[in-house]
Amino acid sequence: MELRQLRYFVAVAEELSFSAAARRLHVSQPPLSLQIKALEEELGSILLERSKRHVALTEIGALFLEQARAALRHVDRAGEVVRLASRGLAGELRVAFTASLPMFEAFPRLIQRFRSAHPQARADLAHMSTGQQLRALADKSIDVGFLRPSLLFCPPASLATLPLWSDRLVAVLPDHHPLSRGTRPLSLAALRDEPFILFPRGLGCGLFEHVMVLTSRAGYAPRLVQEAREGTTILGLVAAGMGISILPETYARSSVPGVAYRPIDTPDAASQLLLAYRPDDDAPLLRRFLDTVRREAPEPGDSREDAAAAVMD
C-alpha cells in the first residue's frame, strides 16, 4: 500500500467522481483508476461502487476512508515535525542541572522563555550531580548540563563550557553556635574541629570537591559525620545541631529555621556555574537553546539584581 494510493482514494471518495478527483490531483484519469483498482486488490475488498454515471462508497470503503484520512494526517504531521526539527523548532532537548538550580529564579525563567519561543520543542529536565552530568555528556545521554564544578575543574577537550553565573560558598551553622554571631567573614581554620555535613563523596559532586580543596588549603581534612543527597536535608541536620556545612548562599533563601550563614574569608570560596555541551553536536535545537542562554543569562560579573541573585549549586 502506497501513500499515493491513499491520497488517490481519498480524493475519489470525497469527489465521488474519478474525473473530478483526477483534476484535483493534477493527474490523468486512467492511472488514477489503475491505482484505486490495485488498492482494492491488495485489500481484497471493493471500496467504491462504479457505474458510467455513478461512484459511491461501499460500507467497507466508508470505514477505510476514515482510516486513510487519519493516516494521511499523521504522515503530513510527521513531515511537518521533521521540517520544524531541521530548523531547530521541534524535537527533544535533554537538560541536566545541579541540586539548587530550581531555587534560582533565572533558571526557570530561562527554560520558560525557551519553551515559549519553541512550543513544538520539549525540554526534558533531569537532576544530576556535576560528575553525573560529565559522564552523561560523554555518553550522549544528555545534550546540555548546568553544572558547578570543583575549584580545580579543567574541562575535557570533548566539551565546551559557557560561564554563566558566580556566587560564594558560605559556612552554614546552627543559629545557637558560637560562630554564628558576627558579620565578619570566618576563616576556614575556625572550622577545623567542627563536625561537617556534606553531599555524598561518591556522587561526583563539584561542591563536595570544592569544599575538600578549601579545607585542604586551610591545612586539614573536614571531619565528616553525615552525608545527605539534598541541600535542604543538610540544612535540617545543621538546624538540629548535628554539625555544620559549607553550601552556596542561595540556600539562605530556603528559610529553614535554626540556621545561620557566615561568609568565608578566602577568595577560593568563589564558585562558578557553567553550561557544558558537546561542541561537535550541531543539532539545531541545541544551537537555539545556546542562543537563548546567551541572550537571557547575565554575563559573569554582571552587577544587576538578577546577577547578584545568580547563586547556584
Side-chain angles (χ1 to χ4, degrees), residues 61-75:
L63 293 173
F64 186 71
L65 175 60
E66 180 181 348
Q67 298 302 316
R69 283 170 170 164
L72 291 174
R73 285 196 301 269
H74 185 75
V75 169

Side-chain angles (χ1 to χ4, degrees), residues 1-2 4-14 16 18 32-51 54-69:
M1 187 183 305
E2 301 177 2
R4 176 179 58 174
Q5 293 173 326
L6 294 182
R7 295 191 190 279
Y8 283 8
F9 169 72
V10 169
V12 174
E14 291 178 348
L16 294 179
F18 279 83
L32 175 63
S33 299
L34 288 174
Q35 290 297 325
I36 297 298
K37 181 177 177 59
L39 178 62
E40 290 177 323
E41 290 177 350
E42 181 178 349
L43 294 173
S45 298
I46 301 300
L47 303 176
L48 296 162
E49 294 178 347
R50 308 162 176 82
S51 68
H54 178 75
V55 175
L57 282 167
T58 64
E59 184 176 348
I60 292 176
L63 293 173
F64 186 71
L65 175 60
E66 180 181 348
Q67 298 302 316
R69 283 170 170 164

Side-chain angles (χ1 to χ4, degrees), residues 100-143:
S100 68
L101 201 56
M103 302 171 63
F104 176 58
E105 63 184 75
F107 176 71
R109 184 170 64 241
L110 187 154
I111 296 297
Q112 182 181 24
R113 290 181 180 176
F114 175 76
R115 294 181 63 186
S116 296
H118 305 83
Q120 302 297 324
R122 174 186 172 188
D124 185 12
L125 304 179
H127 170 208
M128 295 183 183
S129 70
T130 291
Q132 290 171 329
Q133 289 187 52
L134 293 174
R135 291 189 290 272
L137 285 165
D139 65 24
K140 299 184 179 181
S141 57
I142 63 171
D143 302 306

Side-chain angles (χ1 to χ4, degrees), residues 204-235:
C205 177
L207 178 58
F208 178 90
E209 295 171 358
H210 195 158
V211 173
M212 293 299 104
V213 171
L214 291 180
T215 54
S216 176
R217 289 179 176 177
Y220 66 95
R223 180 164 58 92
L224 185 59
V225 297
Q226 182 69 49
E227 294 180 343
R229 291 178 176 268
E230 300 293 336
T232 51
T233 302
I234 292 177
L235 292 179

